[in-house]
Amino acid sequence: METVAGDGNWKLTFRREPDHIVLLRAVTCDSRAVLPGELLGLPVTVLGDHALAPNAAPVPGEELWVTCGHQGSWDNRTLEDLTLPPCLEEVGDYALYGCLEMHTLRLHDRVERWGGGCLMNCRALRAVFLTRVGKTHGEALAFLCDELHEELDVTVYETDGGVTRLVFPDFVEAYEENCPAHHFDYTIYGGGHAYHHVFRDRQLSLRDYDGLWGKYLGEEHEPETALRLAWLRLRWPSGLSREAEERYWQYLKGRPREALLWQLSQKDIPGLRLLLDGLQPGPELLGAACEQARRDRDTEALALLLERRHQTEPAGFGKRFEL
């Protein structure tokens, strides 16, 4: 097996085509791994069937060992964060089957074919980072939301440099046996089903996404998920209407403490400044936030909070003059 230096560690089996590479097997010992975008001067455009499945059988093909010197257990079961090649156009059947610990997937919006069961048993997958490559949306996000029922935190990097960040709440589909009638009843639990299907011709509709807000609050949902959904739309307001903006702010103003303390955990100073401007918290809440920032040793956030607290205190507050 030929060995080359790289930024990560991979044992690769591939097939060379005239203008691209088909990656047949890929095994890593890294918990955070980036699949090579190019091999032998050719772009990697196809991820073969069972390519990263931990239990996949060996297949014939050219072999290459990419290494940066790190040693560990060569088993994709420990893979947590995966970046797919930027020119990838096709993902084969069961390509990521059984990557049980993978919680983050990073990819470009070029994939045109997703194989059957390619994300089966990827039960930990919660975060997706998607880079747009054209003026129109590809089908990657529509596929992922349709395939995965768990809550997804999606960050989209737009072609104009903008960022859109969305939460797709979870839901459960259940078939329950109705014995007397001898059939199964189909039931959906949770308010996230509509969010996972807010696509028209496989294109994301932000207007429809925001239009689900009232219905979502009226269904079974997690308050923490609703809080993050509302705040992320305000923090990255791509396509956000004035009416939707007001609804989201109304929700957060009813839960200022939860919103402020969660935002502190994000280590996002511009976001914290925006949230403070919108909530206009009083001295008591600012004091609680200052204590949290001190515990977290977040000096930048603490400085901002102390400045806002000083601005909310009446002139002469805490001062005493005696003759």
Side-chain angles (χ1 to χ4, degrees), residues 81-154:
D81 187 320
L82 174 65
T83 300
L84 296 177
C87 291
L88 193 67
E89 297 176 356
E90 182 177 335
V91 177
D93 297 342
Y94 303 100
L96 300 172
Y97 173 77
C99 293
L100 299 177
E101 300 299 322
M102 186 179 67
H103 55 70
T104 301
L105 182 64
R106 307 171 192 271
L107 70 159
H108 286 66
D109 201 13
R110 279 197 175 91
V111 181
E112 297 178 354
R113 178 189 177 274
W114 296 88
C118 62
L119 294 174
M120 185 178 291
N121 284 352
C122 294
R123 299 169 183 167
L125 184 56
R126 296 292 184 274
V128 174
F129 294 83
L130 179 67
T131 300
R132 298 289 190 201
V133 297
K135 294 182 179 180
T136 60
H137 300 174
E139 297 189 2
L141 185 55
F143 170 81
L144 293 170
C145 287
D146 186 49
E147 189 78 4
L148 301 168
H149 297 176
E150 295 80 8
E151 179 182 316
L152 292 177
D153 186 332
V154 176

Side-chain angles (χ1 to χ4, degrees), residues 189-202:
Y189 298 97
H193 182 269
Y195 280 99
H196 281 251
H197 298 86
V198 65
F199 296 87
R200 298 185 178 186
D201 297 326
R202 313 293 285 175

Side-chain angles (χ1 to χ4, degrees), residues 288-305:
C290 287
E291 288 303 316
Q292 184 62 50
R294 289 190 183 97
R295 286 193 292 269
D296 296 340
R297 298 184 179 182
D298 190 341
T299 55
E300 192 173 4
L302 180 58
L304 176 59
L305 290 166

Side-chain angles (χ1 to χ4, degrees), residues 31-32 39 81 93 121 133 164 178 180 187 200 204 219 227 234 240 265 268 283 285-286 288-289 306-307:
S31 60
R32 180 168 183 169
L39 293 176
D81 187 320
D93 297 342
N121 284 352
V133 297
T164 303
N178 188 328
T187 308
R200 298 185 178 186
L204 173 66
E219 298 179 341
L227 186 147
L234 293 168
L240 185 63
S265 70
D268 173 16
L285 180 52
L286 286 170
L306 288 173
E307 178 185 358

Side-chain angles (χ1 to χ4, degrees), residues 67-296:
T67 180
C68 63
H70 172 75
Q71 296 296 326
S73 175
W74 292 88
D75 187 347
N76 290 345
R77 289 184 182 86
T78 62
L79 177 62
E80 298 178 359
D81 187 320
L82 174 65
T83 300
L84 296 177
C87 291
L88 193 67
E89 297 176 356
E90 182 177 335
V91 177
D93 297 342
Y94 303 100
L96 300 172
Y97 173 77
C99 293
L100 299 177
E101 300 299 322
M102 186 179 67
H103 55 70
T104 301
L105 182 64
R106 307 171 192 271
L107 70 159
H108 286 66
D109 201 13
R110 279 197 175 91
V111 181
E112 297 178 354
R113 178 189 177 274
W114 296 88
C118 62
L119 294 174
M120 185 178 291
N121 284 352
C122 294
R123 299 169 183 167
L125 184 56
R126 296 292 184 274
V128 174
F129 294 83
L130 179 67
T131 300
R132 298 289 190 201
V133 297
K135 294 182 179 180
T136 60
H137 300 174
E139 297 189 2
L141 185 55
F143 170 81
L144 293 170
C145 287
D146 186 49
E147 189 78 4
L148 301 168
H149 297 176
E150 295 80 8
E151 179 182 316
L152 292 177
D153 186 332
V154 176
T155 302
V156 181
Y157 300 106
E158 307 289 355
T159 55
D160 60 1
V163 175
T164 303
R165 191 171 171 190
L166 304 168
V167 170
F168 293 85
D170 66 340
F171 68 97
V172 176
E173 292 180 311
Y175 289 89
E176 301 169 336
E177 186 176 5
N178 188 328
C179 293
H182 299 288
H183 67 74
F184 288 87
D185 295 327
Y186 172 67
T187 308
I188 298 174
Y189 298 97
H193 182 269
Y195 280 99
H196 281 251
H197 298 86
V198 65
F199 296 87
R200 298 185 178 186
D201 297 326
R202 313 293 285 175
Q203 301 291 299
L204 173 66
S205 171
L206 289 172
R207 179 178 179 180
D208 290 348
Y209 179 95
D210 293 326
L212 294 172
W213 178 244
K215 180 182 178 183
Y216 177 66
L217 294 182
E219 298 179 341
E220 180 183 356
H221 69 279
E222 292 292 336
E224 182 183 344
T225 300
L227 186 147
R228 289 185 288 107
L229 189 157
W231 169 239
L232 293 178
R233 283 299 285 138
L234 293 168
R235 177 65 180 87
W236 286 277
S238 175
L240 185 63
S241 68
R242 172 61 67 179
E243 294 76 15
E245 179 182 8
E246 292 174 353
R247 289 194 295 268
Y248 290 136
W249 274 121
Q250 182 181 6
Y251 183 82
L252 294 180
K253 288 177 180 178
R255 297 153 184 81
R257 182 182 181 88
E258 295 89 339
L260 187 52
L261 294 182
W262 181 81
Q263 178 59 31
L264 281 174
S265 70
Q266 301 305 294
K267 311 299 182 185
D268 173 16
I269 296 302
L272 178 59
R273 186 174 290 109
L274 175 64
L275 186 61
L276 290 172
D277 290 341
L279 294 182
Q280 294 295 315
E284 182 178 352
L285 180 52
L286 286 170
C290 287
E291 288 303 316
Q292 184 62 50
R294 289 190 183 97
R295 286 193 292 269
D296 296 340

